[in-house]
Amino acid sequence: DAGVTQSPTHLIKTRGQQVTLRCSPKSGHDTVSWYQQALGQGPQFIFQYYEEEERQRGNFPDRFSGHQFPNYSSELNVNALLLGDSALYLCASSFRYNEKLFFGSGTQLSVL
Amino acid sequence: AQSVSQHNHHVILSEAASLELGCNYSYGGTVNLFWYVQYPGQHLQLLLKYFSGDPLVKGIKGFEAEFIKSKFSFNLRKPSVQWSDTAEYFCAVTREGSSNTGKLIFGQGTTLQVKP
């Protein structure tokens, strides 16, 4: 039974570019949440998707957007990248609004 | 704004020592509380959780945590640590209510290093 998978594992971009990160939830899960983890900090909630809609959003600018597909997989898009967007981006999945989240290993984004 | 504070950023212990990691949260309403662990090179995984009932909760690998509502605290404990407990530990909180489910507020984390 596959857990939460994220791709790519590492990514290097330059300021102003756009990036797309991908997440496949654990089998049987239908809810996907995205978190940003800066170096030395705890994860920060970006947003959550359920039934292909954004259900909750954290304190992140509109440059951060997402999408959920009918197969429950999800994408995180970040436009106009800033140096401060460099972080580990974590995807977590759950069934419905169950608070037992399963996390992926993350995508390490470096913005130069 | 709701916040979670972990008192110790970096803890170094010898094997068999006792562990207590502090966690305090700022929200005054009903909360759900979690401890997550991240072993080196691995993903975040749930160690234990408190939703209601007995304030002393037991998790995996001999860990336990006590919810003290009057102190807004949820400290993690283990009587005797092992080298394999070396990891990053995160306390997290959600506000009760379906609109907040899954929106975890994390502390900044505590790095535990256990010396053999």
Side-chain angles (χ1 to χ4, degrees):
Chain A
D1 182 19
V4 179
T5 58
Q6 293 186 242
S7 63
T9 54
H10 295 84
L11 203 51
I12 299 174
K13 292 286 188 178
T14 56
R15 279 181 301 174
Q17 286 189 310
Q18 178 265 343
V19 68
T20 297
L21 311 182
R22 295 176 176 82
C23 172
S24 291
K26 181 178 169 64
S27 178
H29 286 183
D30 57 9
T31 303
V32 173
S33 302
W34 286 92
Y35 288 80
Q36 180 196 66
Q37 186 177 13
L39 191 64
Q41 300 296 316
Q44 277 195 291
F45 178 80
I46 303 175
F47 42 53
Q48 180 188 72
Y49 277 84
Y50 172 66
E51 293 186 331
E52 302 180 48
E53 290 188 7
E54 183 183 291
R55 298 290 176 167
Q56 298 188 70
R57 189 177 183 92
N59 189 25
F60 279 80
D62 292 343
R63 298 187 298 109
F64 289 76
S65 63
H67 188 78
Q68 185 178 34
F69 299 93
N71 67 353
Y72 309 119
S73 67
S74 177
E75 289 182 348
L76 163 65
N77 301 292
V78 187
N79 295 322
L81 284 167
L82 303 173
L83 296 179
D85 295 332
S86 295
L88 180 68
Y89 289 84
L90 298 170
C91 172
S93 74
S94 63
F95 176 69
R96 296 290 189 269
Y97 288 126
N98 189 311
E99 293 194 309
K100 185 173 182 180
L101 300 183
F102 288 78
F103 283 84
S105 297
T107 294
Q108 185 65 55
L109 172 64
S110 298
V111 182
L112 306 178
Chain B
Q2 186 179 10
S3 67
V4 177
S5 177
Q6 293 183 237
H7 312 305
N8 313 99
H9 187 62
H10 196 164
V11 174
I12 302 174
L13 296 173
S14 297
E15 275 193 315
S18 64
L19 169 72
E20 180 159 3
L21 301 182
C23 173
N24 285 90
Y25 61 94
S26 63
Y27 181 63
T30 303
V31 295
N32 298 319
L33 299 153
F34 307 81
W35 276 97
Y36 279 83
V37 60
Q38 188 169 28
Y39 297 105
Q42 297 188 26
H43 57 271
L44 272 169
Q45 53 189 290
L46 183 66
L47 202 53
L48 50 79
K49 64 183 186 294
Y50 172 80
F51 284 6
S52 63
D54 189 344
L56 184 62
V57 293
K58 296 189 183 300
I60 60 172
K61 303 186 180 185
F63 285 91
E64 65 179 31
E66 184 176 13
F67 171 50
I68 303 179
K69 189 174 182 179
S70 61
K71 295 185 178 181
F72 300 91
S73 70
F74 190 56
N75 292 352
L76 181 71
R77 299 195 293 248
K78 186 171 184 179
S80 176
V81 296
Q82 301 173 315
W83 176 79
S84 59
D85 293 325
T86 294
E88 184 94 19
Y89 292 81
F90 293 94
C91 180
V93 171
T94 62
R95 293 168 55 180
E96 192 167 85
S98 61
S99 64
N100 294 302
T101 303
K103 183 179 178 179
L104 292 172
I105 308 299
F106 282 88
Q108 68 269 39
T110 296
T111 302
L112 172 64
Q113 183 182 353
V114 180
K115 294 184 175 181

PDB file of all heavy atoms in Angstrom, chain A residues 57-75:
ATOM      1  N   ARG A  57      -7.606  27.647   3.890  1.00  0.00           N
ATOM      2  CA  ARG A  57      -6.384  28.271   3.421  1.00  0.00           C
ATOM      3  C   ARG A  57      -5.667  28.922   4.594  1.00  0.00           C
ATOM      4  O   ARG A  57      -6.300  29.512   5.475  1.00  0.00           O
ATOM      5  CB  ARG A  57      -6.687  29.333   2.353  1.00  0.00           C
ATOM      6  CG  ARG A  57      -5.450  29.871   1.662  1.00  0.00           C
ATOM      7  CD  ARG A  57      -5.807  30.865   0.578  1.00  0.00           C
ATOM      8  NE  ARG A  57      -4.596  31.320  -0.108  1.00  0.00           N
ATOM      9  CZ  ARG A  57      -4.090  30.753  -1.194  1.00  0.00           C
ATOM     10  NH1 ARG A  57      -4.711  29.719  -1.744  1.00  0.00           N
ATOM     11  NH2 ARG A  57      -2.978  31.206  -1.753  1.00  0.00           N
ATOM     12  N   GLY A  58      -4.373  28.797   4.601  1.00  0.00           N
ATOM     13  CA  GLY A  58      -3.559  29.465   5.607  1.00  0.00           C
ATOM     14  C   GLY A  58      -3.186  30.860   5.144  1.00  0.00           C
ATOM     15  O   GLY A  58      -3.704  31.365   4.145  1.00  0.00           O
ATOM     16  N   ASN A  59      -2.259  31.469   5.836  1.00  0.00           N
ATOM     17  CA  ASN A  59      -1.874  32.840   5.565  1.00  0.00           C
ATOM     18  C   ASN A  59      -0.787  32.894   4.488  1.00  0.00           C
ATOM     19  O   ASN A  59       0.357  33.262   4.757  1.00  0.00           O
ATOM     20  CB  ASN A  59      -1.392  33.496   6.866  1.00  0.00           C
ATOM     21  CG  ASN A  59      -1.189  34.986   6.705  1.00  0.00           C
ATOM     22  OD1 ASN A  59      -1.796  35.606   5.842  1.00  0.00           O
ATOM     23  ND2 ASN A  59      -0.321  35.553   7.526  1.00  0.00           N
ATOM     24  N   PHE A  60      -1.157  32.538   3.287  1.00  0.00           N
ATOM     25  CA  PHE A  60      -0.230  32.571   2.155  1.00  0.00           C
ATOM     26  C   PHE A  60      -0.828  33.419   1.037  1.00  0.00           C
ATOM     27  O   PHE A  60      -2.042  33.429   0.842  1.00  0.00           O
ATOM     28  CB  PHE A  60       0.048  31.143   1.649  1.00  0.00           C
ATOM     29  CG  PHE A  60       1.075  30.414   2.467  1.00  0.00           C
ATOM     30  CD1 PHE A  60       0.727  29.827   3.663  1.00  0.00           C
ATOM     31  CD2 PHE A  60       2.386  30.345   2.042  1.00  0.00           C
ATOM     32  CE1 PHE A  60       1.670  29.178   4.436  1.00  0.00           C
ATOM     33  CE2 PHE A  60       3.341  29.689   2.796  1.00  0.00           C
ATOM     34  CZ  PHE A  60       2.980  29.108   4.000  1.00  0.00           C
ATOM     35  N   PRO A  61       0.027  34.130   0.287  1.00  0.00           N
ATOM     36  CA  PRO A  61      -0.476  35.011  -0.772  1.00  0.00           C
ATOM     37  C   PRO A  61      -1.061  34.214  -1.934  1.00  0.00           C
ATOM     38  O   PRO A  61      -0.868  32.996  -2.050  1.00  0.00           O
ATOM     39  CB  PRO A  61       0.781  35.783  -1.206  1.00  0.00           C
ATOM     40  CG  PRO A  61       1.922  34.885  -0.835  1.00  0.00           C
ATOM     41  CD  PRO A  61       1.505  34.185   0.409  1.00  0.00           C
ATOM     42  N   ASP A  62      -1.745  34.956  -2.801  1.00  0.00           N
ATOM     43  CA  ASP A  62      -2.409  34.331  -3.944  1.00  0.00           C
ATOM     44  C   ASP A  62      -1.434  33.716  -4.945  1.00  0.00           C
ATOM     45  O   ASP A  62      -1.855  32.982  -5.847  1.00  0.00           O
ATOM     46  CB  ASP A  62      -3.277  35.366  -4.671  1.00  0.00           C
ATOM     47  CG  ASP A  62      -4.456  35.791  -3.823  1.00  0.00           C
ATOM     48  OD1 ASP A  62      -4.764  35.072  -2.852  1.00  0.00           O
ATOM     49  OD2 ASP A  62      -5.074  36.831  -4.133  1.00  0.00           O
ATOM     50  N   ARG A  63      -0.156  34.024  -4.790  1.00  0.00           N
ATOM     51  CA  ARG A  63       0.850  33.383  -5.662  1.00  0.00           C
ATOM     52  C   ARG A  63       0.846  31.860  -5.469  1.00  0.00           C
ATOM     53  O   ARG A  63       1.299  31.123  -6.346  1.00  0.00           O
ATOM     54  CB  ARG A  63       2.261  33.901  -5.340  1.00  0.00           C
ATOM     55  CG  ARG A  63       2.486  35.373  -5.561  1.00  0.00           C
ATOM     56  CD  ARG A  63       3.944  35.741  -5.372  1.00  0.00           C
ATOM     57  NE  ARG A  63       4.438  35.485  -4.018  1.00  0.00           N
ATOM     58  CZ  ARG A  63       5.293  34.511  -3.701  1.00  0.00           C
ATOM     59  NH1 ARG A  63       5.751  33.690  -4.625  1.00  0.00           N
ATOM     60  NH2 ARG A  63       5.698  34.368  -2.449  1.00  0.00           N
ATOM     61  N   PHE A  64       0.354  31.445  -4.334  1.00  0.00           N
ATOM     62  CA  PHE A  64       0.254  30.018  -4.039  1.00  0.00           C
ATOM     63  C   PHE A  64      -1.158  29.549  -4.426  1.00  0.00           C
ATOM     64  O   PHE A  64      -2.162  30.069  -3.903  1.00  0.00           O
ATOM     65  CB  PHE A  64       0.492  29.751  -2.555  1.00  0.00           C
ATOM     66  CG  PHE A  64       1.914  29.945  -2.123  1.00  0.00           C
ATOM     67  CD1 PHE A  64       2.432  31.223  -1.948  1.00  0.00           C
ATOM     68  CD2 PHE A  64       2.740  28.859  -1.898  1.00  0.00           C
ATOM     69  CE1 PHE A  64       3.755  31.408  -1.558  1.00  0.00           C
ATOM     70  CE2 PHE A  64       4.053  29.026  -1.502  1.00  0.00           C
ATOM     71  CZ  PHE A  64       4.563  30.300  -1.332  1.00  0.00           C
ATOM     72  N   SER A  65      -1.225  28.621  -5.330  1.00  0.00           N
ATOM     73  CA  SER A  65      -2.516  28.090  -5.736  1.00  0.00           C
ATOM     74  C   SER A  65      -2.403  26.587  -5.878  1.00  0.00           C
ATOM     75  O   SER A  65      -1.298  26.031  -5.905  1.00  0.00           O
ATOM     76  CB  SER A  65      -2.971  28.712  -7.059  1.00  0.00           C
ATOM     77  OG  SER A  65      -2.062  28.369  -8.100  1.00  0.00           O
ATOM     78  N   GLY A  66      -3.554  25.953  -5.962  1.00  0.00           N
ATOM     79  CA  GLY A  66      -3.519  24.500  -6.042  1.00  0.00           C
ATOM     80  C   GLY A  66      -4.646  23.950  -6.870  1.00  0.00           C
ATOM     81  O   GLY A  66      -5.500  24.689  -7.397  1.00  0.00           O
ATOM     82  N   HIS A  67      -4.622  22.651  -6.938  1.00  0.00           N
ATOM     83  CA  HIS A  67      -5.661  21.963  -7.707  1.00  0.00           C
ATOM     84  C   HIS A  67      -5.742  20.537  -7.193  1.00  0.00           C
ATOM     85  O   HIS A  67      -4.731  19.960  -6.782  1.00  0.00           O
ATOM     86  CB  HIS A  67      -5.296  21.964  -9.195  1.00  0.00           C
ATOM     87  CG  HIS A  67      -6.398  21.458 -10.070  1.00  0.00           C
ATOM     88  ND1 HIS A  67      -7.491  22.213 -10.415  1.00  0.00           N
ATOM     89  CD2 HIS A  67      -6.576  20.251 -10.673  1.00  0.00           C
ATOM     90  CE1 HIS A  67      -8.290  21.494 -11.187  1.00  0.00           C
ATOM     91  NE2 HIS A  67      -7.760  20.307 -11.363  1.00  0.00           N
ATOM     92  N   GLN A  68      -6.957  19.986  -7.213  1.00  0.00           N
ATOM     93  CA  GLN A  68      -7.109  18.568  -6.908  1.00  0.00           C
ATOM     94  C   GLN A  68      -7.830  17.915  -8.077  1.00  0.00           C
ATOM     95  O   GLN A  68      -8.823  18.460  -8.587  1.00  0.00           O
ATOM     96  CB  GLN A  68      -7.893  18.339  -5.619  1.00  0.00           C
ATOM     97  CG  GLN A  68      -7.946  16.854  -5.225  1.00  0.00           C
ATOM     98  CD  GLN A  68      -8.681  16.608  -3.936  1.00  0.00           C
ATOM     99  OE1 GLN A  68      -9.652  17.292  -3.613  1.00  0.00           O
ATOM    100  NE2 GLN A  68      -8.235  15.607  -3.179  1.00  0.00           N
ATOM    101  N   PHE A  69      -7.374  16.782  -8.457  1.00  0.00           N
ATOM    102  CA  PHE A  69      -7.923  16.071  -9.609  1.00  0.00           C
ATOM    103  C   PHE A  69      -8.932  15.014  -9.155  1.00  0.00           C
ATOM    104  O   PHE A  69      -8.963  14.657  -7.977  1.00  0.00           O
ATOM    105  CB  PHE A  69      -6.780  15.436 -10.397  1.00  0.00           C
ATOM    106  CG  PHE A  69      -5.800  16.443 -10.934  1.00  0.00           C
ATOM    107  CD1 PHE A  69      -4.661  16.781 -10.222  1.00  0.00           C
ATOM    108  CD2 PHE A  69      -6.040  17.088 -12.143  1.00  0.00           C
ATOM    109  CE1 PHE A  69      -3.765  17.726 -10.699  1.00  0.00           C
ATOM    110  CE2 PHE A  69      -5.149  18.029 -12.631  1.00  0.00           C
ATOM    111  CZ  PHE A  69      -4.029  18.362 -11.904  1.00  0.00           C
ATOM    112  N   PRO A  70      -9.742  14.513 -10.098  1.00  0.00           N
ATOM    113  CA  PRO A  70     -10.756  13.501  -9.720  1.00  0.00           C
ATOM    114  C   PRO A  70     -10.168  12.260  -9.056  1.00  0.00           C
ATOM    115  O   PRO A  70     -10.857  11.582  -8.293  1.00  0.00           O
ATOM    116  CB  PRO A  70     -11.420  13.160 -11.065  1.00  0.00           C
ATOM    117  CG  PRO A  70     -11.256  14.391 -11.875  1.00  0.00           C
ATOM    118  CD  PRO A  70      -9.911  14.956 -11.499  1.00  0.00           C
ATOM    119  N   ASN A  71      -8.903  11.947  -9.321  1.00  0.00           N
ATOM    120  CA  ASN A  71      -8.295  10.774  -8.668  1.00  0.00           C
ATOM    121  C   ASN A  71      -7.687  11.136  -7.313  1.00  0.00           C
ATOM    122  O   ASN A  71      -6.950  10.340  -6.736  1.00  0.00           O
ATOM    123  CB  ASN A  71      -7.228  10.154  -9.577  1.00  0.00           C
ATOM    124  CG  ASN A  71      -6.024  11.068  -9.777  1.00  0.00           C
ATOM    125  OD1 ASN A  71      -6.029  12.225  -9.350  1.00  0.00           O
ATOM    126  ND2 ASN A  71      -5.005  10.547 -10.431  1.00  0.00           N
ATOM    127  N   TYR A  72      -7.990  12.327  -6.827  1.00  0.00           N
ATOM    128  CA  TYR A  72      -7.582  12.855  -5.516  1.00  0.00           C
ATOM    129  C   TYR A  72      -6.142  13.370  -5.468  1.00  0.00           C
ATOM    130  O   TYR A  72      -5.753  13.972  -4.463  1.00  0.00           O
ATOM    131  CB  TYR A  72      -7.790  11.843  -4.387  1.00  0.00           C
ATOM    132  CG  TYR A  72      -9.171  11.236  -4.346  1.00  0.00           C
ATOM    133  CD1 TYR A  72      -9.376   9.870  -4.500  1.00  0.00           C
ATOM    134  CD2 TYR A  72     -10.288  12.053  -4.197  1.00  0.00           C
ATOM    135  CE1 TYR A  72     -10.644   9.332  -4.488  1.00  0.00           C
ATOM    136  CE2 TYR A  72     -11.573  11.511  -4.184  1.00  0.00           C
ATOM    137  CZ  TYR A  72     -11.743  10.149  -4.330  1.00  0.00           C
ATOM    138  OH  TYR A  72     -13.003   9.611  -4.323  1.00  0.00           O
ATOM    139  N   SER A  73      -5.373  13.167  -6.515  1.00  0.00           N
ATOM    140  CA  SER A  73      -4.028  13.737  -6.520  1.00  0.00           C
ATOM    141  C   SER A  73      -4.120  15.261  -6.561  1.00  0.00           C
ATOM    142  O   SER A  73      -5.181  15.820  -6.879  1.00  0.00           O
ATOM    143  CB  SER A  73      -3.221  13.209  -7.703  1.00  0.00           C
ATOM    144  OG  SER A  73      -3.763  13.685  -8.921  1.00  0.00           O
ATOM    145  N   SER A  74      -3.019  15.904  -6.256  1.00  0.00           N
ATOM    146  CA  SER A  74      -3.070  17.363  -6.118  1.00  0.00           C
ATOM    147  C   SER A  74      -1.789  17.993  -6.635  1.00  0.00           C
ATOM    148  O   SER A  74      -0.739  17.354  -6.698  1.00  0.00           O
ATOM    149  CB  SER A  74      -3.285  17.729  -4.653  1.00  0.00           C
ATOM    150  OG  SER A  74      -3.267  19.135  -4.450  1.00  0.00           O
ATOM    151  N   GLU A  75      -1.913  19.238  -7.025  1.00  0.00           N
ATOM    152  CA  GLU A  75      -0.765  20.051  -7.415  1.00  0.00           C
ATOM    153  C   GLU A  75      -0.736  21.327  -6.589  1.00  0.00           C
ATOM    154  O   GLU A  75      -1.785  21.878  -6.248  1.00  0.00           O
ATOM    155  CB  GLU A  75      -0.844  20.434  -8.896  1.00  0.00           C
ATOM    156  CG  GLU A  75      -0.604  19.290  -9.854  1.00  0.00           C
ATOM    157  CD  GLU A  75      -0.647  19.753 -11.308  1.00  0.00           C
ATOM    158  OE1 GLU A  75      -1.074  20.894 -11.573  1.00  0.00           O
ATOM    159  OE2 GLU A  75      -0.267  18.956 -12.173  1.00  0.00           O
TER     160      GLU A  75
END
